[in-house]
Amino acid sequence: MTSHTLPKLPYAYDALEPYIDAQTMEIHHTKHHQTYINNLNLALEKHPEFSDMTAENLIKNIGSIPEDIRPSVKNNAGGHLNHTFFWTIMRPPTEKGPEDGLIKTVNSTFGSLDGFKDLFTKTALTRFGSGWAWLSVTNLGGLEIHSTTNQDNPIIEGLVPILGLDVWEHAYYLKYQNRRQEYIENWWKVVNWDQVTENYQKAVENIKPNI
Ligand code: MN3
């Protein structure tokens, strides 16, 4: 049986300064993300036959997880999956935006990159309580902006996330307190658009022709 472990960040805790501060990054990674992993491992100890499944597969097959641990697996495998993803779609600030097929689809779907950012920001702002805002690829290859509650992941709805924003207060409270809008506006400066473009290409390639 293998247990889930905390992935290393692909950059230093202070790499996203001044937009996301080092203390927030360190606590978010070593305390919040680690706690999801600890609680997931604890739940899976009761049913070790599921301990070799990835967080993604646990979420995709949540209906077949035993009922006594299902709520815990849903929250904690979800938290592990979401945060593992979140770290990869940020990087030290650059001027680079989305490229190739992604920027074309963003423009044709939302009018412009700014139009997309406005709508995504609005979605992230109006997510009541704790949750995430997402840009996902639909099963027809289109782009959809949406939000989820708690640690739910778009794959539950049959969507493939390519960009996600954590709007739990723990993601921004130390620096921004209640100012979620300011957090979101500054977060755009550290989005890793190369990774998001790659996520888009992979998601589109994986769509099976529906013939
Ligand atoms: Mn978080």
Side-chain angles (χ1 to χ4, degrees):
M1 115 172 222
T2 40
S3 54
H4 295 267
T5 53
L6 186 67
K8 279 211 163 74
L9 279 194
Y11 37 75
Y13 288 124
D14 63 0
L16 310 182
E17 291 267 13
Y19 306 110
I20 313 280
D21 62 288
Q23 193 188 11
T24 295
M25 286 301 295
E26 184 166 3
I27 292 173
H28 203 172
H29 182 243
T30 63
K31 306 292 183 199
H32 292 279
H33 189 171
Q34 183 69 60
T35 300
Y36 296 119
I37 292 167
N38 294 346
N39 289 338
L40 175 61
N41 287 332
L42 204 62
L44 293 174
E45 276 176 18
K46 293 182 193 141
H47 294 279
E49 66 272 27
F50 296 98
S51 62
D52 288 330
M53 283 170 79
T54 63
E56 182 172 348
N57 280 333
L58 287 166
I59 293 299
K60 278 182 175 165
N61 298 287
I62 194 70
S64 59
I65 303 301
E67 273 180 50
D68 61 323
I69 63 165
R70 194 182 300 157
S72 179
V73 169
K74 185 170 186 254
N75 289 331
N76 293 298
H80 181 26
L81 180 64
N82 290 349
H83 287 84
T84 300
F85 177 78
F86 188 49
W87 311 134
T88 68
I89 56 87
M90 297 190 290
R91 68 171 168 202
T94 70
E95 294 297 313
K96 262 183 107 181
E99 294 185 335
D100 306 328
L102 177 58
I103 187 62
K104 281 182 201 145
T105 313
V106 163
N107 286 336
S108 64
T109 310
F110 306 106
S112 64
L113 183 58
D114 283 343
F116 158 70
K117 285 183 177 176
D118 285 349
L119 199 59
F120 186 99
T121 299
K122 206 173 281 175
T123 304
L125 263 178
T126 52
R127 170 77 259 166
F128 184 77
S130 297
W132 292 71
W134 303 97
L135 177 65
S136 293
V137 173
T138 70
N139 57 9
L140 297 173
L143 289 175
E144 187 174 317
I145 296 170
H146 63 118
S147 71
T148 57
T149 189
N150 300 323
Q151 294 296 349
D152 288 359
N153 184 283
I155 58 174
I156 296 170
E157 301 169 43
L159 299 165
V160 181
I162 62 169
L163 175 69
L165 173 59
D166 189 344
V167 292
W168 284 57
E169 279 189 346
H170 69 230
Y172 62 88
Y173 199 83
L174 284 178
K175 184 177 172 73
Y176 296 102
Q177 290 82 47
N178 61 321
R179 304 186 306 276
R180 191 189 278 188
Q181 180 154 7
E182 197 182 323
Y183 159 64
I184 300 167
E185 281 163 7
N186 281 328
W187 172 75
W188 288 118
K189 304 200 171 77
V190 296
V191 169
N192 183 346
W193 284 109
D194 288 333
Q195 185 64 52
V196 182
T197 299
E198 193 184 315
N199 292 346
Y200 173 76
Q201 280 157 351
K202 265 192 208 144
V204 170
E205 279 161 23
N206 285 335
I207 293 170
K208 295 178 189 82
N210 194 11
I211 305 167

